[in-house]
Amino acid sequence: MSLSSVRIRPDDQYKAEVVVFLTTLSANAQEFSGSKRAQDLLEIKRVHFKRVDFNSDASAAQGPDEQRLVTQFADKVMLQRRSLVSSDIKSRRAVLPSQIKKQKGAIRKARTAIVQESFLPSVFVDGVNIGDASDLQSLEDDGRLDRFLRREACPSCGTTRQAGATTRQTPSKQLGFCTPCGQRFQVFLPDSQTFEKAVELAQQWQKQQVTAEYEQRRRASLMKGLPPPGPPVLEEPEPVAPPAGAVQEEEEEPQKPPPPEPVQPAPDPVPAKKKSCCAVS
């Protein structure tokens, strides 16, 4: 995860894992613009999402988990395209002999259109594909996207999810599945591009911006012959909330020393009795 990829501190209320398959290659304008729109929408909402870039130049710099996802997703897309092509060919076989030449041309065009169809960006929420940038915007307009991101509703059928998957650290085995539709939830990148790392990168980027603005003001003051401005004031970072259900250790209060015992005054000495001179011996 590069420093330039995270600029805004993500919001802690969104617990679901969001993975965006995208491309930073501008050769395909439709996929490039769609990838940018999907990222902009999630950044405006301050959603922590994980990027998987299909650009060959950028994918080489990604981790092994991201490269594995690129291979698996590309193979899945190719299988879907082959099934679409084969089903389209089967539907066109029952034709008259005089129409075979026309049907061959139509099959060739259909095959080309399916192969060239864009499949990026693709947004996954807890392992469920919710569509591209247009579908993401539709869910946001309908008000359903927030429920998916907070793990309150199933991204596949929209029904209320069972309790128990409300923390970000919940592994795939404990996410379970949706009872009405049978959709199983999973986490693609449990140890990569974590929320804590995104918060750290956002704070670093903010410091760089404040420092760069201060340098610009300092240079402008020197050029005008004015005294340089004061040092930049950095905002204190917001503390990261601990995961729900975590046992927080209570800080032990320092023990106060016991109060000193009151000193009791010594008793007055009893005066000795004097012998009387008239006493009979």
Side-chain angles (χ1 to χ4, degrees), residues 10 47 60 63 66-67 69 93 122 128 142 167-168 187 199 227-228 232 237 262 269:
V47 178
E66 286 83 351
Q67 295 179 4
L69 283 180
R93 281 181 176 175
S122 293
V128 182
D142 296 341
T167 62
R168 187 177 290 104
V187 177
V199 172

Side-chain angles (χ1 to χ4, degrees), residues 55-89:
N55 183 4
S56 58
D57 296 335
S59 60
Q62 297 182 135
D65 295 336
E66 286 83 351
Q67 295 179 4
R68 173 181 53 83
L69 283 180
V70 168
T71 304
Q72 292 179 355
F73 189 71
D75 294 342
K76 184 177 181 180
V77 170
M78 291 304 298
L79 290 175
Q80 292 178 351
R81 288 179 174 179
R82 289 175 183 175
S83 63
L84 289 174
V85 171
S86 61
S87 62
D88 187 77
I89 292 175

Side-chain angles (χ1 to χ4, degrees), residues 1-278:
M1 184 185 297
S2 62
L3 181 59
S4 60
S5 61
V6 180
R7 300 183 179 182
I8 302 175
R9 188 188 190 280
D11 196 343
D12 191 47
Q13 67 171 324
Y14 302 120
K15 307 296 183 182
E17 185 201 43
V18 181
V19 179
V20 181
F21 293 90
L22 51 88
T23 180
T24 55
L25 185 64
S26 58
N28 190 330
Q30 182 178 358
E31 293 184 348
F32 178 76
S33 62
S35 300
K36 191 175 185 307
R37 286 191 292 115
Q39 293 181 89
D40 291 343
L41 175 59
L42 294 174
E43 286 182 353
I44 291 173
K45 291 180 64 64
R46 295 177 58 193
V47 178
H48 171 237
F49 63 97
K50 304 177 180 181
R51 299 166 173 83
V52 179
D53 197 347
F54 272 71
N55 183 4
S56 58
D57 296 335
S59 60
Q62 297 182 135
D65 295 336
E66 286 83 351
Q67 295 179 4
R68 173 181 53 83
L69 283 180
V70 168
T71 304
Q72 292 179 355
F73 189 71
D75 294 342
K76 184 177 181 180
V77 170
M78 291 304 298
L79 290 175
Q80 292 178 351
R81 288 179 174 179
R82 289 175 183 175
S83 63
L84 289 174
V85 171
S86 61
S87 62
D88 187 77
I89 292 175
K90 291 179 181 179
S91 64
R92 297 174 183 273
R93 281 181 176 175
V95 295
L96 298 177
S98 59
Q99 299 178 350
I100 290 180
K101 185 177 294 186
K102 295 182 180 180
Q103 291 296 328
K104 285 183 177 180
I107 291 174
R108 191 180 302 109
K109 290 181 180 180
R111 184 186 294 112
T112 304
I114 292 174
V115 172
Q116 293 180 350
E117 182 182 1
S118 62
F119 63 93
L120 295 176
S122 293
V123 184
F124 286 78
V125 177
D126 281 343
V128 182
N129 190 352
I130 61 175
D132 55 6
S134 300
D135 299 326
L136 191 68
Q137 185 64 54
S138 300
L139 292 173
E140 172 64 15
D141 297 339
D142 296 341
R144 293 182 293 167
L145 183 59
D146 284 351
R147 298 195 64 203
F148 296 164
L149 299 177
R150 289 195 293 261
R151 286 180 173 171
E152 296 176 354
C154 172
S156 180
C157 62
T159 57
T160 303
R161 291 178 63 170
Q162 299 178 356
T166 57
T167 62
R168 187 177 290 104
Q169 288 78 12
T170 304
S172 294
K173 295 181 180 180
Q174 298 180 8
L175 285 179
F177 60 93
C178 179
T179 304
C181 67
Q183 176 66 49
R184 182 168 293 277
F185 309 116
Q186 58 179 328
V187 177
F188 288 155
L189 302 170
D191 301 324
S192 179
Q193 305 183 38
T194 60
F195 177 84
E196 291 76 15
K197 185 63 177 179
V199 172
E200 180 182 352
L201 293 177
Q203 293 173 359
Q204 294 179 9
W205 185 85
Q206 182 183 6
K207 291 180 180 179
Q208 289 185 1
Q209 291 297 110
V210 173
T211 305
E213 293 177 359
Y214 169 74
E215 286 295 326
Q216 291 180 359
R217 290 188 284 108
R218 188 182 67 84
R219 292 176 182 177
S221 300
L222 293 177
M223 292 177 63
K224 296 179 181 179
L226 301 176
V233 179
L234 300 176
E235 298 181 358
E236 296 183 0
E238 300 177 6
V240 180
V247 179
Q248 301 181 11
E249 298 181 356
E250 297 181 356
E251 297 182 357
E252 297 182 358
E253 297 182 356
Q255 297 181 357
K256 298 180 180 179
E261 297 181 358
V263 179
Q264 299 180 359
D268 296 335
V270 180
K273 296 182 178 181
K274 296 181 180 181
K275 295 183 178 181
S276 176
C277 58
C278 301

